[in-house]
Each structure stands twice: as structure tokens, then as C-alpha cells.
Amino acid sequence: MRDLKGNSDEPQQYSRVSTRQGREVSGPVAVLVEDLHVAYGTTWALDGVDLAAAPGTTLGVLGHNGAGKTTLIRTLTTLVRPTTGRVLIDGLDVVTHAPTVRRRIGVTGQYAGLDDFLTARENLELIGRLTGLGGRSRDRADALIDRLDLHALAARRVGELSGGSRRRVDLAASLVGSPSVLFLDEPTTGLDPIARSGLWDVVAELTGTGTTVVLTTQYLEEADRLADHIVVLDHGRVAARGTATQLKGIVGGKRVTATVPTHHLVDLPFRPDTDPDRHGDTARVTVTVDDATTATAIVSRLDRAGIPVTDLDVTSPSLDDVFTHLALTGAHR
Ligand code: ATP
């Protein structure tokens, strides 16, 4: 383990990665975490985390309740001090350069405070003045209202807005200081699918213009859609990491789900992954196979065994399957 002696004179680490849109990005690592430990009393909320995010990419941080996501975000945003280990934002240590780091980051979610009695525009202008933009605050508010298409909301009091609209104003507020790294803490929790999708578009556009995004989410689909790279935390450690495609590769193969009559369960030509899901006279059975060719063969064998299939799905693993797999196997522990 390393003592907390990091400083910005150390050489910045460089990275070169390709994003999910196929963009090649390189430069100093925007977020670098090395052997990070954070203890609350005798509880190790983070127990040796290493990760990195290249500029202009989105890093997804996933994990069950209590896995350490909030502690990680709070440490990256200078609100919690590492017990040991090193955290750099844009090459700056979060402990020794905390004020500079704070000027370079934006945070949405549970920490952002909007004034319910002010309009969306007034909130953005106020934040601009508080962060030292002075006379430029109005222009900055206008630019963000344009960029996030907030025209219909700009003159309304924030306290009267729907959850989805409020999230968009919250996101705009976090962008007032033109952050180079933006932290989105569960940005779409509770939003309807259309509002969620709208926010995803804005986030994708942000990374396209060079902002680095660190995202925590309960929605695995959100990480699948946005994140270039994902780390899965469990008990304060990295349980798995990679692109969404690489993580799905942990589970691998194809999943065949068939609905068959219950009395035919004894005739199945394969052993299902789990106990059949019974509904009256029918049961859903699932089996994971190596590839599409084997999936086709399984379906043929059901037919040859004379088992009438009333519903059939052949799917690739989702991030949910990765989560279930990690929980069941405990492979990382
Ligand atoms: P959730 O999804 O429920 O928000 P999380 O992944 O964000 O969970 P953390 O809130 O970072 O997880 O918590 C990690 C561990 O640290 C948990 O065991 C939690 O009980 C513990 N913990 C978090 N904050 C404190 C605190 N202030 N004092 C003591 N223990 C804490």
C-alpha cells in the first residue's frame, strides 16, 4: 500500500483508448485511483481499489447496496479523505490539491443543491456568480439553457418542476463551471424511460466534447448504453472490470429460454441452469450454451424429443446476468 504523499509533480499517467463510438482518445488519465482504502471505524468501505478513466470517456461504477460506490464518488470529489492510497483528478491529488480539484469537477445527484424558490435560469446564474464567473454568469446560463434545451423550463421555479426536468436543470448546474470531470450519481433514478433516454443523449454529447464522466447507476442498461468502461464493486473491491461486452463475456454464450408443458419437464434433453419457473401447466426453463450454433441445436433437440414449446427466446447475456453470475460464483473473493 502507498502512503498519501501524492503530488502533482509526479509524472502524469497517459492513456490511449477507443470509446464505444469508436473515437480514439489519449492524454493524461482524467481519473486515476491507486490502491485506495477508505475505513469508517473498523469497516473498510473501500479495500484496495484501482481504476482509471481516460479523458472524454465514461466510466460506469456498479455494485450492490453497500458495495462502496458512494464512498468512491465522495473520495473522488474530495468529500472523503482516503485512508491510504492515491486519487488523482486530471493529474492532481485530491488531498493535496483539493481546492483545484473542486474547480475542475462537476457533481450531480444527491450533493447538488438547487434553490426551489428560484427559477432554473436564476439558479444557473447564481451558481455562476458563486463560482466566480461574475458578469459572465448570464451568458453561461444562456449557453447551458441552449445546450441542454431547457428553454421551456428556464423561467419556471425549480420547486415546481417534475423529477425529470429537475434532473436536467441539476445537470446544467453541474456544468456551469465547465468541469473536465463530471460525476453523475444515479442520474436517472426514478425517471420515466423517455426522460432517461433524453438525459443519456446529453451525457453522450458531453463526452463527445471531451468531458470525462464517472457514472454510478442502479440501471445496468444505463451503464450498458453509456459507459466505455465499467468497474463492478463488491465489498469495497473491484469484482470485475472491462467494457460491457467484455463483462458479458464472463457469462458467455447464448441463453435459451423455453416455455414447455410441466409434464414434459422430465423429457428435457438438457439440464436447465436453475429450477424451472412453474406457472400452472407450463414452466419456463433456461439453459446457457456456448454459442448460437449450440443454441440452434438445443431448439432442434426439444423438437425431436416431441416437447411442444409455446414460447422461445434466444438472448445474449445482459449486465444483469453478469451481476447474478458474480453474486452466485463469488469468483472475485
Ligand atoms: P448504496 O448503493 O446503498 O448507496 P454504496 O455502494 O454506495 O451503497 P457505501 O455507501 O459507499 O456503499 O458504503 C460502503 C460501506 O461503508 C457499507 O458497509 C456502509 O455501511 C459503510 N459506510 C458508509 N458510510 C459510512 C459511515 N459514514 N460510517 C460508517 N460506515 C459507513
Side-chain angles (χ1 to χ4, degrees):
M1 284 193 289
R2 182 194 295 264
D3 266 351
L4 256 187
K5 298 244 173 77
N7 63 68
S8 65
D9 297 334
E10 291 180 30
Q12 292 186 332
Q13 319 247 349
Y14 278 75
S15 66
R16 178 186 296 278
V17 294
S18 58
T19 67
R20 54 188 304 127
Q21 292 92 15
R23 279 183 295 121
E24 281 285 323
V25 289
S26 61
V29 171
V31 177
L32 184 69
V33 173
E34 289 180 334
D35 200 21
L36 175 62
H37 290 71
V38 174
Y40 296 114
T42 54
T43 305
W44 288 98
L46 295 176
D47 192 11
V49 170
D50 292 287
L51 57 84
T57 64
T58 298
L59 173 71
V61 179
L62 305 179
H64 291 293
N65 292 343
K69 304 178 298 293
T70 306
T71 304
L72 176 63
I73 299 297
R74 290 178 71 84
T75 311
L76 293 172
T77 54
T78 78
L79 296 173
V80 165
R81 201 182 162 102
T83 307
T84 60
R86 191 166 76 135
V87 177
L88 305 183
I89 301 288
D90 277 351
L92 296 167
D93 189 287
V94 294
V95 175
T96 52
H97 292 79
T100 317
V101 168
R102 278 185 213 124
R103 282 196 292 277
R104 297 219 183 168
I105 62 176
V107 185
T108 71
Q110 57 207 66
Y111 320 117
L114 294 172
D115 188 326
D116 280 352
F117 292 97
L118 298 181
T119 66
R121 177 191 296 280
E122 287 165 349
N123 264 289
L124 297 179
E125 285 190 40
L126 177 64
I127 293 166
R129 271 187 237 106
L130 292 175
T131 52
L133 284 181
R136 286 173 292 139
S137 302
R138 195 179 177 85
D139 288 347
R140 183 75 187 134
D142 282 338
L144 287 167
I145 287 165
D146 273 347
R147 182 167 185 188
L148 274 70
D149 195 17
L150 298 176
H151 299 278
L153 309 178
R156 294 180 59 194
R157 278 194 196 181
V158 163
E160 296 165 3
L161 298 179
S162 70
S165 300
R166 200 187 162 94
R167 293 294 171 112
R168 286 169 58 210
V169 177
D170 184 32
L171 180 58
S174 69
L175 295 173
V176 169
S178 306
S180 95
V181 183
L182 178 65
F183 292 89
L184 301 178
D185 195 12
E186 305 201 348
T188 63
T189 298
L191 297 193
D192 68 43
I194 293 177
R196 182 170 302 153
S197 177
L199 215 103
W200 288 349
D201 289 344
V202 174
V203 174
E205 194 197 305
L206 281 172
T207 52
T209 54
T211 309
T212 307
V213 172
V214 180
L215 165 84
T216 71
T217 180
Q218 311 174 18
Y219 301 113
L220 302 186
E221 187 199 348
E222 183 160 274
D224 205 349
R225 166 93 178 257
L226 289 180
D228 297 296
H229 199 84
I230 294 171
V231 294
V232 182
L233 292 182
D234 183 55
H235 291 83
R237 296 187 182 170
V238 176
R241 69 173 85 230
T243 63
T245 308
Q246 286 167 341
L247 289 179
K248 290 172 192 172
I250 296 174
V251 181
K254 294 280 176 193
R255 182 155 292 195
V256 180
T257 303
T259 304
V260 300
T262 313
H263 66 273
H264 272 296
L265 283 174
V266 290
D267 305 322
L268 286 178
F270 55 81
R271 191 192 163 105
D273 291 348
T274 54
D275 286 341
D277 185 10
R278 294 166 192 262
H279 293 281
D281 294 341
T282 61
R284 272 162 62 89
V285 287
T286 300
V287 62
T288 304
V289 296
D290 286 345
D291 50 32
T293 310
T294 320
T296 313
I298 285 274
V299 175
S300 307
R301 282 165 64 194
L302 281 167
D303 189 38
R304 283 204 301 278
I307 301 176
V309 175
T310 50
D311 200 7
L312 181 77
D313 282 316
V314 179
T315 52
S316 297
S318 65
L319 282 179
D320 290 270
D321 297 325
V322 176
F323 245 55
T324 309
H325 177 84
L326 289 172
L328 288 178
T329 59
H332 48 285
R333 289 189 210 135

Coordinates of all heavy atoms in Angstrom, one line a residue, residues 180-256:
S180 N -14.0 19.4 -16.1 CA -13.4 18.5 -17.0 C -13.8 17.1 -16.7 O -13.8 16.2 -17.5 CB -11.9 18.7 -17.0 OG -11.2 17.9 -16.2
V181 N -14.1 16.8 -15.4 CA -14.7 15.5 -15.0 C -16.0 15.8 -14.3 O -16.1 16.6 -13.4 CB -13.7 14.8 -14.0 CG1 -14.3 13.4 -13.6 CG2 -12.3 14.7 -14.6
L182 N -17.0 15.0 -14.8 CA -18.4 15.2 -14.3 C -18.8 13.9 -13.6 O -18.7 12.8 -14.1 CB -19.3 15.5 -15.5 CG -20.8 15.6 -15.1 CD1 -21.1 16.8 -14.3 CD2 -21.6 15.7 -16.4
F183 N -19.3 14.0 -12.3 CA -19.7 12.9 -11.6 C -21.3 12.8 -11.6 O -21.9 13.8 -11.2 CB -19.2 13.0 -10.1 CG -17.7 12.8 -10.1 CD1 -16.9 13.9 -10.2 CD2 -17.1 11.6 -10.0 CE1 -15.5 13.8 -10.2 CE2 -15.8 11.4 -10.0 CZ -15.0 12.5 -10.0
L184 N -21.8 11.8 -12.1 CA -23.2 11.6 -12.1 C -23.6 10.5 -11.2 O -23.3 9.3 -11.5 CB -23.7 11.2 -13.6 CG -23.4 12.2 -14.7 CD1 -23.8 11.6 -16.0 CD2 -24.1 13.5 -14.4
D185 N -24.2 10.8 -10.1 CA -24.5 9.8 -9.1 C -26.0 9.4 -9.3 O -26.9 10.2 -8.9 CB -24.3 10.4 -7.7 CG -24.3 9.3 -6.6 OD1 -24.3 8.1 -7.0 OD2 -24.3 9.7 -5.4
E186 N -26.2 8.3 -9.8 CA -27.6 7.7 -10.1 C -28.4 8.8 -10.8 O -29.4 9.2 -10.3 CB -28.2 7.2 -8.8 CG -27.4 6.2 -8.1 CD -28.1 5.3 -7.2 OE1 -29.3 5.6 -6.9 OE2 -27.5 4.3 -6.8
P187 N -28.0 9.3 -12.0 CA -28.6 10.5 -12.6 C -30.1 10.3 -13.0 O -30.8 11.2 -13.1 CB -27.7 10.8 -13.8 CG -27.1 9.5 -14.1 CD -26.9 8.8 -12.8
T188 N -30.5 9.0 -13.3 CA -31.8 8.9 -13.8 C -32.7 8.0 -12.9 O -33.8 7.6 -13.3 CB -31.8 8.2 -15.2 OG1 -31.2 6.9 -15.1 CG2 -30.9 9.0 -16.2
T189 N -32.3 7.9 -11.6 CA -33.2 7.1 -10.7 C -34.6 7.7 -10.7 O -34.7 8.9 -10.4 CB -32.5 7.0 -9.3 OG1 -31.3 6.4 -9.5 CG2 -33.4 6.3 -8.4
G190 N -35.6 7.0 -10.9 CA -37.0 7.4 -10.8 C -37.5 8.1 -12.0 O -38.6 8.5 -12.0
L191 N -36.7 8.2 -13.1 CA -37.2 8.9 -14.3 C -37.9 7.9 -15.2 O -37.6 6.7 -15.2 CB -36.0 9.5 -15.1 CG -35.2 10.6 -14.4 CD1 -34.3 11.3 -15.5 CD2 -36.1 11.6 -13.8
D192 N -38.9 8.4 -16.0 CA -39.5 7.6 -16.9 C -38.6 7.3 -18.1 O -37.6 8.0 -18.3 CB -40.9 8.1 -17.4 CG -40.8 9.4 -18.2 OD1 -39.9 9.4 -19.1 OD2 -41.5 10.4 -17.9
P193 N -38.9 6.3 -18.9 CA -38.0 5.9 -20.0 C -37.6 7.0 -20.9 O -36.5 7.1 -21.4 CB -38.7 4.7 -20.7 CG -39.6 4.2 -19.6 CD -40.0 5.3 -18.8
I194 N -38.6 7.9 -21.2 CA -38.3 9.0 -22.2 C -37.3 10.0 -21.6 O -36.3 10.4 -22.2 CB -39.6 9.6 -22.7 CG1 -40.4 8.6 -23.5 CG2 -39.3 10.9 -23.5 CD1 -41.7 9.1 -24.0
A195 N -37.6 10.4 -20.4 CA -36.7 11.3 -19.7 C -35.3 10.8 -19.5 O -34.3 11.4 -19.7 CB -37.3 11.7 -18.3
R196 N -35.3 9.5 -19.2 CA -34.0 8.8 -19.0 C -33.2 8.8 -20.3 O -32.0 9.2 -20.4 CB -34.3 7.3 -18.6 CG -33.0 6.6 -18.3 CD -33.3 5.2 -17.7 NE -34.0 5.4 -16.5 CZ -34.8 4.5 -15.9 NH1 -35.1 3.4 -16.6 NH2 -35.4 4.7 -14.8
S197 N -33.9 8.5 -21.4 CA -33.2 8.4 -22.7 C -32.7 9.8 -23.1 O -31.6 10.0 -23.7 CB -34.2 7.9 -23.7 OG -33.7 7.9 -24.9
G198 N -33.5 10.9 -22.8 CA -33.1 12.3 -23.1 C -31.8 12.6 -22.4 O -30.9 13.2 -22.9
L199 N -31.7 12.2 -21.1 CA -30.5 12.5 -20.3 C -29.3 11.8 -20.8 O -28.2 12.3 -20.9 CB -30.8 12.2 -18.8 CG -30.1 13.1 -17.9 CD1 -31.1 14.1 -17.3 CD2 -29.4 12.4 -16.8
W200 N -29.6 10.6 -21.3 CA -28.5 9.8 -21.8 C -27.9 10.5 -23.1 O -26.7 10.5 -23.3 CB -29.0 8.4 -22.2 CG -29.3 7.5 -21.1 CD1 -29.0 7.7 -19.8 CD2 -30.0 6.2 -21.1 NE1 -29.4 6.7 -19.0 CE2 -30.0 5.7 -19.8 CE3 -30.5 5.5 -22.1 CZ2 -30.6 4.5 -19.5 CZ3 -31.1 4.3 -21.8 CH2 -31.2 3.8 -20.5
D201 N -28.8 11.0 -23.9 CA -28.3 11.7 -25.1 C -27.4 12.9 -24.7 O -26.3 13.1 -25.3 CB -29.5 12.3 -25.9 CG -30.3 11.1 -26.6 OD1 -29.7 10.0 -26.6 OD2 -31.4 11.4 -27.0
V202 N -27.8 13.6 -23.7 CA -27.0 14.8 -23.2 C -25.6 14.3 -22.7 O -24.6 14.9 -23.1 CB -27.7 15.6 -22.1 CG1 -26.8 16.7 -21.6 CG2 -29.0 16.1 -22.6
V203 N -25.6 13.2 -22.0 CA -24.3 12.7 -21.4 C -23.4 12.2 -22.6 O -22.2 12.5 -22.6 CB -24.6 11.6 -20.4 CG1 -23.3 10.9 -20.0 CG2 -25.4 12.1 -19.2
A204 N -24.0 11.5 -23.5 CA -23.2 11.1 -24.7 C -22.6 12.2 -25.4 O -21.4 12.2 -25.8 CB -24.1 10.2 -25.6
E205 N -23.4 13.3 -25.5 CA -22.9 14.5 -26.2 C -21.7 15.1 -25.4 O -20.7 15.6 -26.0 CB -24.0 15.5 -26.4 CG -23.7 16.6 -27.3 CD -24.7 17.7 -27.1 OE1 -25.9 17.5 -27.2 OE2 -24.3 18.9 -26.9
L206 N -21.8 15.1 -24.1 CA -20.8 15.7 -23.3 C -19.4 15.1 -23.5 O -18.4 15.7 -23.6 CB -21.2 15.6 -21.8 CG -22.2 16.6 -21.3 CD1 -22.6 16.2 -19.8 CD2 -21.6 18.0 -21.3
T207 N -19.5 13.7 -23.4 CA -18.2 13.0 -23.6 C -17.6 13.2 -25.0 O -16.4 13.3 -25.2 CB -18.3 11.5 -23.3 OG1 -19.4 11.0 -24.1 CG2 -18.5 11.2 -21.9
G208 N -18.5 13.4 -25.9 CA -18.1 13.7 -27.3 C -17.3 15.0 -27.4 O -16.5 15.2 -28.3
T209 N -17.5 15.9 -26.4 CA -16.8 17.2 -26.5 C -15.7 17.2 -25.4 O -15.2 18.2 -25.0 CB -17.7 18.4 -26.2 OG1 -18.5 18.2 -25.0 CG2 -18.7 18.6 -27.4
G210 N -15.3 16.0 -24.9 CA -14.1 15.9 -24.1 C -14.3 15.8 -22.6 O -13.3 15.6 -21.9
T211 N -15.5 16.0 -22.2 CA -15.8 15.8 -20.7 C -15.6 14.3 -20.3 O -16.1 13.5 -21.1 CB -17.2 16.3 -20.3 OG1 -17.4 17.6 -20.9 CG2 -17.4 16.4 -18.8
T212 N -15.0 14.1 -19.2 CA -14.9 12.7 -18.7 C -16.1 12.5 -17.7 O -16.4 13.4 -16.9 CB -13.6 12.5 -17.9 OG1 -12.6 12.9 -18.8 CG2 -13.5 11.1 -17.5
V213 N -16.8 11.4 -17.8 CA -18.0 11.2 -16.9 C -17.7 10.0 -16.1 O -17.3 8.9 -16.6 CB -19.2 11.0 -17.8 CG1 -20.4 10.6 -16.9 CG2 -19.6 12.3 -18.6
V214 N -18.0 10.1 -14.8 CA -18.0 9.0 -13.9 C -19.4 8.8 -13.4 O -20.0 9.7 -12.9 CB -17.1 9.2 -12.7 CG1 -17.1 8.0 -11.7 CG2 -15.6 9.5 -13.1
L215 N -20.0 7.6 -13.7 CA -21.4 7.4 -13.5 C -21.6 6.3 -12.5 O -21.1 5.2 -12.7 CB -21.9 7.0 -14.9 CG -23.3 6.4 -15.0 CD1 -24.4 7.5 -15.1 CD2 -23.4 5.6 -16.3
T216 N -22.5 6.5 -11.5 CA -23.0 5.3 -10.8 C -24.4 5.2 -11.1 O -25.1 6.2 -11.4 CB -22.9 5.5 -9.2 OG1 -23.8 6.5 -8.8 CG2 -21.5 6.0 -8.8
T217 N -24.9 4.0 -11.1 CA -26.2 3.7 -11.5 C -26.7 2.4 -11.0 O -25.9 1.5 -10.8 CB -26.4 3.8 -13.1 OG1 -27.8 3.5 -13.4 CG2 -25.5 2.8 -13.8
Q218 N -28.0 2.3 -10.8 CA -28.6 1.0 -10.4 C -29.1 0.3 -11.7 O -29.5 -0.8 -11.6 CB -29.9 1.2 -9.6 CG -29.8 2.1 -8.4 CD -31.2 2.3 -7.8 OE1 -32.1 1.5 -8.0 NE2 -31.3 3.3 -7.0
Y219 N -29.2 1.1 -12.8 CA -29.7 0.6 -14.0 C -28.6 0.1 -14.9 O -27.8 0.8 -15.4 CB -30.5 1.6 -14.8 CG -31.7 2.2 -14.0 CD1 -31.6 3.5 -13.6 CD2 -32.8 1.4 -13.6 CE1 -32.7 4.1 -12.8 CE2 -33.8 2.0 -12.9 CZ -33.7 3.3 -12.5 OH -34.8 3.8 -11.8
L220 N -28.5 -1.3 -15.0 CA -27.4 -1.8 -15.7 C -27.5 -1.5 -17.2 O -26.5 -1.3 -17.9 CB -27.4 -3.3 -15.5 CG -27.3 -3.8 -14.1 CD1 -27.1 -5.2 -13.9 CD2 -26.1 -3.0 -13.4
E221 N -28.8 -1.3 -17.7 CA -29.0 -0.9 -19.0 C -28.3 0.5 -19.3 O -27.8 0.8 -20.4 CB -30.5 -0.8 -19.3 CG -30.8 -0.5 -20.8 CD -32.2 0.0 -20.9 OE1 -33.0 0.0 -20.0 OE2 -32.5 0.5 -22.0
E222 N -28.3 1.4 -18.3 CA -27.7 2.7 -18.4 C -26.2 2.6 -18.6 O -25.6 3.2 -19.4 CB -28.1 3.5 -17.1 CG -27.6 4.9 -17.1 CD -28.4 5.7 -16.1 OE1 -29.4 6.2 -16.4 OE2 -27.9 5.8 -14.9
A223 N -25.6 1.7 -17.8 CA -24.2 1.5 -17.9 C -23.9 0.9 -19.2 O -22.9 1.3 -19.9 CB -23.7 0.6 -16.8
D224 N -24.7 0.0 -19.7 CA -24.5 -0.7 -21.0 C -24.6 0.3 -22.1 O -23.8 0.3 -23.0 CB -25.7 -1.7 -21.1 CG -25.2 -2.8 -22.1 OD1 -24.2 -2.7 -22.7 OD2 -26.0 -3.8 -22.1
R225 N -25.5 1.3 -22.0 CA -25.7 2.3 -23.0 C -24.6 3.3 -23.0 O -24.1 3.8 -24.1 CB -27.0 2.9 -22.8 CG -27.3 4.1 -23.5 CD -28.0 3.9 -24.9 NE -28.3 5.1 -25.5 CZ -29.5 5.7 -25.5 NH1 -30.5 5.1 -25.0 NH2 -29.6 6.9 -26.1
L226 N -24.1 3.8 -21.8 CA -23.3 5.0 -21.7 C -21.8 4.7 -21.5 O -20.9 5.4 -22.0 CB -23.7 5.9 -20.6 CG -25.0 6.6 -20.8 CD1 -25.3 7.5 -19.6 CD2 -25.0 7.5 -22.0
A227 N -21.5 3.6 -20.7 CA -20.1 3.5 -20.2 C -19.2 2.9 -21.2 O -19.5 1.9 -21.8 CB -20.1 2.7 -18.9
D228 N -18.0 3.5 -21.4 CA -17.0 2.9 -22.2 C -16.3 1.8 -21.4 O -15.8 0.8 -22.0 CB -15.9 4.0 -22.6 CG -16.5 5.1 -23.4 OD1 -17.0 4.8 -24.5 OD2 -16.6 6.2 -22.9
H229 N -16.2 2.0 -20.1 CA -15.5 1.1 -19.3 C -16.4 1.0 -18.0 O -16.9 1.9 -17.5 CB -14.1 1.6 -19.0 CG -13.2 0.6 -18.5 ND1 -12.5 -0.2 -19.3 CD2 -12.8 0.2 -17.3 CE1 -11.7 -1.1 -18.6 NE2 -11.9 -0.8 -17.4
I230 N -16.4 -0.2 -17.4 CA -17.2 -0.5 -16.2 C -16.4 -1.1 -15.1 O -15.6 -2.0 -15.5 CB -18.4 -1.4 -16.5 CG1 -19.4 -0.7 -17.5 CG2 -19.2 -1.8 -15.3 CD1 -20.5 -1.6 -18.1
V231 N -16.5 -0.7 -13.9 CA -16.0 -1.4 -12.8 C -17.2 -1.9 -11.9 O -18.1 -1.1 -11.6 CB -14.9 -0.7 -11.9 CG1 -13.7 -0.4 -12.7 CG2 -15.5 0.6 -11.3
V232 N -17.1 -3.1 -11.5 CA -18.1 -3.6 -10.6 C -17.5 -3.7 -9.2 O -16.5 -4.5 -9.0 CB -18.7 -5.0 -11.0 CG1 -19.8 -5.5 -10.1 CG2 -19.2 -5.0 -12.5
L233 N -18.1 -3.0 -8.2 CA -17.5 -3.1 -6.9 C -18.3 -4.1 -6.1 O -19.5 -4.3 -6.3 CB -17.7 -1.7 -6.2 CG -16.8 -0.5 -6.7 CD1 -17.0 0.7 -5.8 CD2 -15.3 -0.9 -6.7
D234 N -17.6 -4.7 -5.2 CA -18.3 -5.6 -4.2 C -17.5 -5.7 -2.9 O -16.2 -5.9 -3.0 CB -18.4 -7.0 -4.8 CG -19.1 -8.0 -3.9 OD1 -20.3 -7.7 -3.6 OD2 -18.6 -9.0 -3.5
H235 N -18.1 -5.4 -1.8 CA -17.4 -5.3 -0.5 C -16.1 -4.5 -0.6 O -15.1 -4.9 -0.1 CB -17.1 -6.7 0.0 CG -18.3 -7.5 0.4 ND1 -19.1 -8.2 -0.5 CD2 -18.8 -7.7 1.6 CE1 -20.1 -8.7 0.1 NE2 -20.0 -8.4 1.4
G236 N -16.2 -3.3 -1.3 CA -15.1 -2.4 -1.3 C -14.0 -2.8 -2.3 O -12.9 -2.2 -2.3
R237 N -14.2 -3.9 -3.1 CA -13.1 -4.3 -4.0 C -13.7 -4.3 -5.4 O -14.9 -4.4 -5.6 CB -12.6 -5.7 -3.7 CG -12.0 -5.7 -2.3 CD -11.3 -7.0 -2.1 NE -10.8 -7.0 -0.8 CZ -10.3 -8.1 -0.1 NH1 -10.3 -9.3 -0.8 NH2 -9.8 -8.0 1.1
V238 N -12.8 -4.3 -6.4 CA -13.2 -4.4 -7.8 C -13.5 -5.9 -8.1 O -12.5 -6.7 -8.1 CB -12.2 -3.8 -8.8 CG1 -12.7 -4.0 -10.2 CG2 -12.0 -2.3 -8.5
A239 N -14.8 -6.2 -8.3 CA -15.1 -7.6 -8.5 C -14.9 -8.0 -10.0 O -14.6 -9.1 -10.3 CB -16.6 -7.9 -8.1
A240 N -15.1 -7.0 -10.9 CA -14.9 -7.3 -12.3 C -14.7 -5.9 -13.0 O -15.2 -4.9 -12.5 CB -16.1 -8.0 -12.9
R241 N -14.1 -5.9 -14.1 CA -13.9 -4.6 -14.9 C -13.8 -4.9 -16.3 O -13.4 -6.1 -16.7 CB -12.7 -3.9 -14.4 CG -11.4 -4.5 -14.7 CD -10.2 -3.6 -14.3 NE -9.8 -3.7 -13.0 CZ -9.6 -2.7 -12.1 NH1 -9.8 -1.5 -12.6 NH2 -9.2 -2.9 -10.9
G242 N -14.1 -4.0 -17.2 CA -14.0 -4.1 -18.6 C -15.1 -3.4 -19.3 O -15.8 -2.6 -18.7
T243 N -15.1 -3.5 -20.6 CA -16.3 -3.0 -21.4 C -17.5 -3.8 -21.1 O -17.4 -4.9 -20.6 CB -16.0 -3.0 -22.9 OG1 -15.9 -4.4 -23.3 CG2 -14.7 -2.3 -23.2
A244 N -18.7 -3.3 -21.4 CA -19.9 -4.1 -21.2 C -19.8 -5.4 -21.9 O -20.1 -6.5 -21.4 CB -21.1 -3.3 -21.7
T245 N -19.2 -5.4 -23.1 CA -19.1 -6.6 -23.9 C -18.1 -7.6 -23.2 O -18.4 -8.8 -23.1 CB -18.5 -6.3 -25.3 OG1 -19.4 -5.2 -25.9 CG2 -18.5 -7.5 -26.2
Q246 N -17.0 -7.1 -22.7 CA -16.1 -8.0 -22.0 C -16.8 -8.6 -20.8 O -16.6 -9.8 -20.5 CB -14.8 -7.2 -21.6 CG -13.9 -6.9 -22.8 CD -12.8 -5.9 -22.4 OE1 -13.0 -5.1 -21.5 NE2 -11.8 -5.8 -23.2
L247 N -17.5 -7.7 -20.0 CA -18.2 -8.3 -18.8 C -19.2 -9.3 -19.2 O -19.3 -10.4 -18.5 CB -18.8 -7.1 -18.0 CG -17.9 -6.2 -17.4 CD1 -18.6 -5.1 -16.6 CD2 -17.0 -6.9 -16.4
K248 N -19.9 -9.1 -20.3 CA -20.9 -10.1 -20.7 C -20.2 -11.4 -21.1 O -20.8 -12.5 -20.9 CB -21.7 -9.6 -21.8 CG -22.7 -8.5 -21.4 CD -23.3 -7.9 -22.6 CE -24.0 -6.6 -22.3 NZ -24.5 -5.9 -23.5
G249 N -19.0 -11.3 -21.5 CA -18.2 -12.4 -21.9 C -17.9 -13.3 -20.7 O -17.6 -14.5 -20.8
I250 N -17.9 -12.8 -19.5 CA -17.7 -13.6 -18.2 C -18.8 -14.6 -18.2 O -18.5 -15.8 -17.8 CB -17.8 -12.7 -17.0 CG1 -16.7 -11.6 -17.0 CG2 -17.7 -13.5 -15.7 CD1 -16.8 -10.7 -15.8
V251 N -20.0 -14.2 -18.5 CA -21.1 -15.2 -18.5 C -21.0 -16.0 -19.8 O -21.2 -17.2 -19.8 CB -22.5 -14.5 -18.4 CG1 -23.6 -15.5 -18.4 CG2 -22.5 -13.5 -17.2
G252 N -20.8 -15.3 -20.9 CA -20.5 -16.0 -22.1 C -21.8 -16.6 -22.8 O -22.8 -16.7 -22.2
G253 N -21.6 -16.9 -24.1 CA -22.6 -17.7 -24.8 C -23.9 -17.1 -25.0 O -24.1 -15.9 -25.0
K254 N -24.9 -18.0 -25.2 CA -26.2 -17.6 -25.5 C -27.1 -18.3 -24.5 O -26.8 -19.3 -23.9 CB -26.7 -18.1 -26.9 CG -25.9 -17.4 -28.0 CD -26.5 -16.1 -28.3 CE -25.7 -15.4 -29.4 NZ -26.1 -14.0 -29.5
R255 N -28.3 -17.6 -24.2 CA -29.2 -18.1 -23.2 C -30.5 -18.5 -24.0 O -31.1 -17.7 -24.6 CB -29.5 -17.0 -22.2 CG -30.4 -17.4 -21.1 CD -30.1 -16.5 -19.9 NE -28.8 -16.8 -19.4 CZ -28.3 -16.5 -18.2 NH1 -29.1 -15.7 -17.4 NH2 -27.2 -16.8 -17.8
V256 N -30.8 -19.8 -23.8 CA -32.1 -20.3 -24.4 C -33.1 -20.4 -23.4 O -32.9 -21.1 -22.4 CB -31.9 -21.7 -25.1 CG1 -33.2 -22.1 -25.8 CG2 -30.7 -21.6 -26.1

